[in-house]
Amino acid sequence: MNDETFMHRALLEAKKAYLKGEVPVGAIITLDGQVIARGHNRREELQDPTAHAEILVIREASERLRSWRLKGATLYVTLEPCSMCAGALVLARVARLVYGAPDPKSGAAGSIMNLVEHEALNHRLDVTSGVLQEECATLLRQFFSELRDV
């Protein structure tokens, strides 16, 4: 499978968040070409500021593998990770990050800072950006447009 196929799966998760009234961000983690974790934003549902899609899938993958080290794993997410999520990716030793839409307000994988490739840290991720960017961005724009109209 390729990056677009896996990003489509992350988009399905983002749509679940959208239907719940959550900011529509979805994520999956793959290892050896298999999805090992999937999730979406659940901050409103859980009333937890850390319940971002990336954090939830990192937790699920770690539980499944019985290890906090997610060596060789790839995280696919529909929106560029924030600093909290980027830091978690580094700490979890995720090998690769693939994201859809950039986040010019809080993106920490190249937009306002680049935590995931920072030379001072002991782990860096390979990053691929812009996969299904328009589909990912459209879902976010639609959500926020509807929110403003309420």
Side-chain angles (χ1 to χ4, degrees):
M1 290 198 218
N2 62 24
D3 288 345
E4 287 189 3
T5 300
F6 287 124
M7 189 61 75
H8 276 295
R9 292 185 181 181
L11 266 167
L12 289 175
E13 289 297 320
K15 290 174 184 174
K16 290 177 186 177
Y18 178 89
L19 293 173
K20 293 179 178 179
E22 299 274 0
V23 174
V25 176
I28 65 166
I29 292 182
T30 65
L31 184 64
D32 300 326
Q34 300 295 314
V35 177
I36 62 168
R38 66 185 75 236
H40 52 273
N41 276 0
R42 296 177 61 200
R43 289 189 312 174
E44 297 298 330
E45 175 186 349
L46 300 176
Q47 288 300 298
D48 178 354
T50 69
H52 290 202
E54 300 96 322
I55 299 297
L56 297 173
V57 296
I58 288 169
R59 287 178 183 156
E60 182 182 326
S62 294
E63 286 176 25
R64 182 168 180 185
L65 297 177
R66 297 185 178 278
S67 176
W68 62 266
R69 291 178 187 91
L70 301 179
K71 287 186 169 190
T74 299
L75 184 134
Y76 292 85
V77 64
T78 56
L79 180 66
E80 179 183 357
C82 68
S83 58
M84 174 183 69
C85 295
L89 291 168
V90 170
L91 293 173
R93 309 298 194 266
V94 170
R96 185 167 176 243
L97 166 65
V98 180
Y99 69 86
D103 186 349
K105 292 184 179 179
S106 63
S111 286
I112 64 165
M113 66 180 80
N114 194 346
L115 237 89
V116 297
E117 295 177 309
H118 198 285
E119 62 190 36
L121 299 177
N122 65 342
H123 178 76
R124 286 173 283 292
L125 285 74
D126 292 325
V127 178
T128 302
S129 61
V131 176
L132 300 183
Q133 179 174 337
E134 193 50 43
E135 292 94 322
C136 295
T138 297
L139 185 61
L140 286 158
R141 280 192 300 270
Q142 180 179 342
F143 176 81
F144 287 111
S145 174
E146 290 172 7
L147 198 61
R148 285 188 295 274
D149 290 343
V150 174

